[in-house]
């Protein structure tokens, strides 16, 4: 393939429609938009554009995968009282063909910081495997709408997979903590649980 592209480049063509067609031929790109993007980024050099395309494809394929199966939070959507402890829970799926590597974790990335937990270490999960991630969180003191973004992250800091969210409404008469039957944890910061997060591998309902 390299020799063919080199011969084509040496022809010195400036016909951009022809270059787009050739890019699609070598890469099997579905449309001309992708071809135009890579060619423009590489000054309309077909060889450089095709090389950049396959380099990016290789990087994307090397990343692990994570998809959100469902939100398991009890009472999701209910308001929570100020400074009340509540639990957020998700079921996550390893949607890639490889294991999650050592050092993967679910990390708080931006938005409102709700409680002390900002990182949850993940197991080396097999392809198709499922994990349930549970966080104990502390609602802010002031009433209002709060939103926290979480992402899966590799040990080197590379993010991958779906974004998951903690979205709550804090109101004086919120009852989420009662709905979750967490009365024994009380409502003050002093009574927060010793462990703020847990991860359990799901053995049933394995996804392919």
């Amino acid at each position: 393939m390299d020799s063919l592209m080199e011969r084509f480049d040496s022809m010195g063509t400036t016909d951009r429609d022809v270059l787009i067609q050739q890019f699609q031929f070598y890469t099997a790109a579905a449309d001309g938009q992708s071809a135009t993007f890579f060619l423009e980024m590489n000054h309309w050099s077909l060889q450089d554009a095709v090389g950049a395309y396959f380099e990016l494809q290789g990087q994307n394929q090397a990343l692990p995968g994570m998809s959100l199966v469902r939100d398991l939070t009890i009472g999701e959507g209910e308001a929570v009282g100020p400074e009340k402890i509540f639990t957020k829970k998700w079921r996550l799926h390893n949607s890639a063909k490889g294991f999650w590597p050592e050092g993967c974790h679910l990390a708080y990335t931006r938005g409102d910081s709700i409680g002390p937990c900002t990182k949850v270490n993940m197991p080396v999960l097999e392809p198709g495997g499922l994990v349930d991630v549970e966080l104990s969180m502390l609602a802010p003191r002031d009433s209002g709408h709060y939103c926290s973004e979480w992402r899966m992250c590799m040990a080197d800091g590379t993010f991958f997979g779906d974004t998951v969210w903690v979205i709550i409404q804090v109101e004086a008469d919120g009852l989420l903590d009662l709905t979750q039957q967490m009365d024994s944890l009380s409502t003050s910061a002093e009574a927060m649980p010793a462990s703020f997060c847990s991860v359990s591998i799901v053995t049933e309902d394995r996804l392919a």
Side-chain angles (χ1 to χ4, degrees):
M1 183 187 298
D2 287 343
S3 61
L4 287 174
M5 287 190 294
E6 287 170 3
R7 286 202 297 270
F8 186 80
D9 272 355
S10 68
M11 293 169 62
T13 180
T14 58
D15 188 327
R16 295 186 175 183
D17 289 336
V18 174
L19 288 170
I20 290 171
Q21 292 174 4
Q22 289 293 320
F23 182 94
Q24 290 177 295
F25 172 78
Y26 287 121
T27 64
D31 54 52
Q33 186 174 2
S34 296
T36 302
F37 170 80
F38 281 96
L39 285 163
E40 286 181 344
M41 291 294 291
N42 290 275
H43 308 289
W44 293 90
S45 165
L46 178 61
Q47 184 175 357
D48 291 343
V50 171
Y53 173 84
F54 282 113
E55 181 179 358
L56 180 62
Q57 292 297 106
Q59 291 174 354
N60 289 339
Q61 291 173 1
L63 286 177
M66 184 279 280
S67 59
L68 173 65
V69 178
R70 57 181 176 271
D71 193 317
L72 299 173
T73 305
I74 297 173
E76 175 66 11
E78 293 185 15
V80 60
E83 297 187 294
K84 296 280 187 174
I85 292 170
F86 66 98
T87 300
K88 187 69 184 179
K89 187 174 184 179
W90 303 283
R91 178 160 293 178
L92 308 180
H93 169 224
N94 180 356
S95 54
K97 296 181 178 179
F99 284 77
W100 284 353
E102 291 277 359
C104 281
H105 55 278
L106 184 67
Y108 162 72
T109 52
R110 63 177 177 174
D112 300 301
S113 180
I114 307 171
C117 184
T118 59
K119 176 181 176 180
V120 186
N121 292 323
M122 291 290 143
V124 179
L125 189 66
E126 65 177 334
L130 300 169
V131 291
D132 287 347
V133 181
E134 185 171 326
L135 303 178
S136 292
M137 313 193 86
L138 180 66
R141 178 180 301 176
D142 298 327
S143 297
H145 185 79
Y146 296 87
C147 181
S148 176
E149 178 189 272
W150 293 70
R151 297 285 309 276
M152 283 289 288
C153 186
M154 298 173 65
D156 64 1
T158 302
F159 294 114
F160 67 91
D162 292 346
T163 300
V164 294
W165 300 89
V166 179
I167 301 174
I168 60 169
Q169 183 69 30
V170 178
E171 298 178 0
D173 56 354
L175 297 175
L176 178 60
D177 60 313
L178 296 177
T179 302
Q180 295 180 342
Q181 300 180 353
M182 296 179 68
D183 297 352
S184 61
L185 299 178
S186 186
T187 61
S188 65
E190 288 114 20
M192 290 192 74
S195 177
F196 300 117
C197 59
S198 65
V199 179
S200 57
I201 297 177
V202 180
T203 56
E204 73 277 5
D205 300 327
R206 185 182 182 280
L207 299 182

